[in-house]
């Protein structure tokens, strides 16, 4: 059975959907290593490079038993997290296609080493919360509200849909990021909450449809940034 790493604070509705879709749900636990709003966010503690996952030491001690029971291979991160930016974004990178995207001034050494071993092209960007900021559709397509990320990715012929900021909840902040409220589950782009309330809903849905993927969201509750949803093919 394939597994999904998701915040323990994610709505029970999305977790039930994942279980009914034959995924094993592994809850990423809150720690005191980072500030409260992101303290159980998957992309704060875990970076997926290819099929390899690199996990921060602070989270690994909480998840190690679950990972081993489910026969999930992992590598321990090289660095401890810091409480706030920029030392809390060391795992918040994105691998898509032949590219590894992050503010590489701060990337954890084990994560960067994995990207180099796989021969990925390293794209340095200013946005440290890279994974939060990108909805990755496929190897060549993303959705983002970050103009700086959009500008860089377009230079490499990546198809970028730019959307408005906001309309995503994040505790303690004016808004969160759509990338942090989403993940790819098989052939479906899954959103944590009601995508219809986003002002660019139709643009987002049409873009994903055009790429040949399904869209799934939940009208029962508002969109919320939970640090993305990471799938692992066991």
């Amino acid at each position: 059975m394939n597994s999904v790493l998701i915040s323990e604070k994610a709505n029970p509705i999305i977790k039930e959907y994942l279980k009914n879709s034959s995924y094993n749900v592994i809850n990423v636990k809150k720690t005191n290593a980072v500030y409260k709003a992101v303290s159980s966010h998957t992309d704060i503690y875990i970076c997926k490079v290819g099929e390899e996952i690199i996990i921060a030491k602070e989270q690994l001690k909480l998840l190690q038993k679950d990972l081993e029971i489910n026969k999930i291979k992992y590598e321990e991160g090289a660095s401890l997290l810091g409480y706030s930016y920029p030392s809390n974004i060391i795992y918040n990178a994105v691998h898509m296609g032949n590219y590894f995207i992050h503010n590489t001034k701060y990337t954890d050494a084990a994560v960067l080493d994995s990207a180099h071993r796989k021969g990925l092209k390293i794209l340095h960007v200013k946005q440290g919360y890279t994974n939060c900021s990108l909805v990755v559709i496929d190897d060549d397509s993303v959705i983002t509200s970050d103009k700086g990320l959009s500008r860089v990715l377009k230079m490499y012929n990546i198809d970028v849909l730019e959307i408005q900021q906001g309309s995503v909840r994040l505790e303690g902040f004016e808004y969160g990021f759509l990338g942090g409220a989403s993940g790819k589950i098989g052939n479906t782009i899954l959103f944590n909450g009601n995508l219809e309330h986003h002002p660019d809903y139709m643009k987002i849905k049409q873009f994903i449809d055009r790429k040949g993927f399904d869209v799934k969201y939940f009208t029962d509750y508002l969109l919320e940034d939970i640090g993305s949803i990471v799938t692992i093919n066991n």
Side-chain angles (χ1 to χ4, degrees), residues 83-233:
Y83 189 76
S84 57
Y85 188 91
S87 53
N88 67 343
I89 53 91
I90 58 178
Y91 299 97
N92 206 290
V94 167
H95 170 207
M96 58 175 292
N98 295 318
Y99 299 108
F100 177 85
I101 310 159
H102 199 216
N103 186 327
T104 53
K105 288 168 59 178
Y106 306 111
T107 313
D108 177 77
V111 173
L112 204 53
D113 181 61
S114 178
H116 284 303
R117 288 199 314 269
K118 292 173 175 60
L120 302 179
K121 183 171 183 62
I122 310 298
L123 302 188
H124 171 75
V125 294
K126 290 183 178 179
Q127 175 59 266
Y129 293 104
T130 315
N131 197 75
C132 289
S133 302
L134 293 175
V135 182
V136 177
I137 309 303
D138 57 27
D139 290 352
D140 304 296
S141 326
V142 297
I143 300 170
T144 188
S145 62
D146 188 295
K147 294 186 183 302
L149 276 172
S150 176
R151 185 170 57 253
V152 172
L153 298 182
K154 285 177 178 178
M155 289 169 57
Y156 292 91
N157 296 317
I158 292 170
D159 193 3
V160 181
L161 173 65
E162 288 187 35
I163 59 171
Q164 299 176 56
Q165 290 184 332
S167 302
V168 180
R169 296 177 62 189
L170 179 61
E171 180 186 1
F173 288 83
E174 184 180 354
Y175 57 83
F177 299 98
L178 192 61
S182 66
K184 186 193 291 185
I185 309 295
N187 201 52
T188 299
I189 308 301
L190 180 65
F191 293 92
N192 178 51
N194 191 355
L195 187 63
E196 292 175 14
H197 286 179
H198 196 286
D200 291 321
Y201 164 66
M202 284 308 301
K203 286 170 59 177
I204 294 166
K205 186 175 185 308
Q206 288 168 1
F207 185 79
I208 295 171
D209 287 344
R210 182 160 55 85
K211 298 298 178 178
F213 290 87
D214 299 321
V215 178
K216 176 64 181 177
Y217 54 89
F218 305 92
T219 58
D220 310 74
Y221 61 99
L222 296 174
L223 279 171
E224 183 172 4
D225 185 338
I226 52 170
S228 77
I229 304 157
V230 174
T231 58
I232 301 168
N233 300 315

Side-chain angles (χ1 to χ4, degrees), residues 37-49:
V38 299
S39 60
S40 66
H41 280 205
T42 308
D43 54 20
I44 288 292
Y45 302 102
I46 296 164
C47 186
K48 183 179 177 184
V49 186

Side-chain angles (χ1 to χ4, degrees), residues 17-47:
Y17 168 82
L18 289 164
K19 289 174 184 175
N20 291 337
S21 301
S22 300
Y23 284 90
N24 175 51
V25 174
I26 299 175
N27 289 304
V28 174
K29 311 292 197 306
K30 174 184 175 181
T31 79
N32 294 320
V34 295
Y35 61 85
K36 183 180 177 182
V38 299
S39 60
S40 66
H41 280 205
T42 308
D43 54 20
I44 288 292
Y45 302 102
I46 296 164
C47 186

Side-chain angles (χ1 to χ4, degrees), residues 45 53-57 60 75-80 91 108-111:
Y45 302 102
I53 59 168
I54 300 100
I55 307 182
K57 300 171 190 292
L60 180 57
E75 182 179 345
E76 185 176 26
S79 306
L80 290 170
Y91 299 97
D108 177 77
V111 173

